[in-house]
Amino acid sequence: MNITNDVVWLGFLGSLVAGSMTILGAAGVWFVRQLSESLEDTLLSAAAGVMLAASVFSLLLPGIEHAGSLGHSDSTSVLIVLAGMMLGATLLAVIYRYTPHEYFNSQLPGANPQALKRIWLFVLAITLHNFPEGMAVGVGYARGDIQNGLALTLGIGLQNIPEGLAVAVAVLAAGYTRIFAFLTATASGLIEPLGGLLGATLVSFSLPLLPWVLGGAAGAMLYIISNEIIPQTHSRGHASAATFSLLGGFSIMTYLDIVLG
Ligand SMILES: [Zn+2]
């Protein structure tokens, strides 16, 4: 086995572990019948805070550092990673544009609230965003930087717990069985290793691609935070709790990244 293969395997395994932590949250469906709106907004905001810090400390900054090690000037390094970030966000905007989709489970004013449809769109949104998340973890191992990869695995894995719980409880609340709710939430998390495999493979072909892919993975996550999670978690009157919960998630990931990474 050569280094390239090792990095791909590590990236895949790391994203598999992170994705599997969704199962811990999904298992909560046996203990909780319903989440209050404020608890749901708080949990999803904490997940967004983790994703935000992961974007900065585990993707953008390592991307800039790597571009520098390829011989680019500081200015060029930053611009490359930012361009990658814009591309990643644009790609996600295009994907969301052409996917039947709605802001998480927001009530559309005036629209006929079809609870079932809303819940499935929520499940779809969480599932979709797990793909770039997996890519982020997969790419995190790409330079053979295991500590950075571990910090990302742990951080992304942690924020998958509330996400898994939110999905499972939403499906249960729609009237499905507990086992079905559990399996649906688990499936949403297992998209993550697919993203991880793609990210790690892409980068193993070409190291100069790495700053672009790190920037791109950050852009995809930032897009979801700004376009989905923040509007959703601020739409039902829990804006202040959501903000502080986001800062709490941000603090946890910042700590993990600095101490482990
Ligand atoms: Zn997430």
Side-chain angles (χ1 to χ4, degrees), residues 152-236:
L152 259 173
T153 302
L154 191 58
I156 295 293
L158 274 179
Q159 57 89 51
N160 277 332
I161 297 175
E163 285 174 3
L165 180 65
V167 168
V169 168
V171 173
L172 179 71
Y176 294 96
T177 60
R178 278 201 157 81
I179 184 76
F180 183 78
F182 172 76
L183 291 176
T184 304
T186 299
S188 79
L190 292 182
I191 294 295
E192 224 157 90
L194 296 181
L197 191 60
L198 180 74
T201 307
L202 218 81
V203 163
S204 73
F205 278 121
S206 161
L207 222 47
L209 260 185
L210 182 56
W212 290 92
V213 178
L214 286 167
M221 301 226 296
L222 290 170
Y223 175 86
I224 290 151
I225 295 165
S226 171
N227 213 60
E228 307 291 313
I229 305 183
I230 291 178
Q232 143 73 15
T233 53
H234 285 240
S235 68
R236 300 188 293 196

Side-chain angles (χ1 to χ4, degrees), residues 60 63-64 75-90 211-212 214-216 218-219 222:
L60 293 178
I64 292 166
S75 162
T76 311
S77 299
V78 175
L79 290 176
I80 286 175
V81 173
L82 291 181
M85 179 188 80
M86 290 300 181
L87 281 176
T90 306
W212 290 92
L214 286 167
L222 290 170

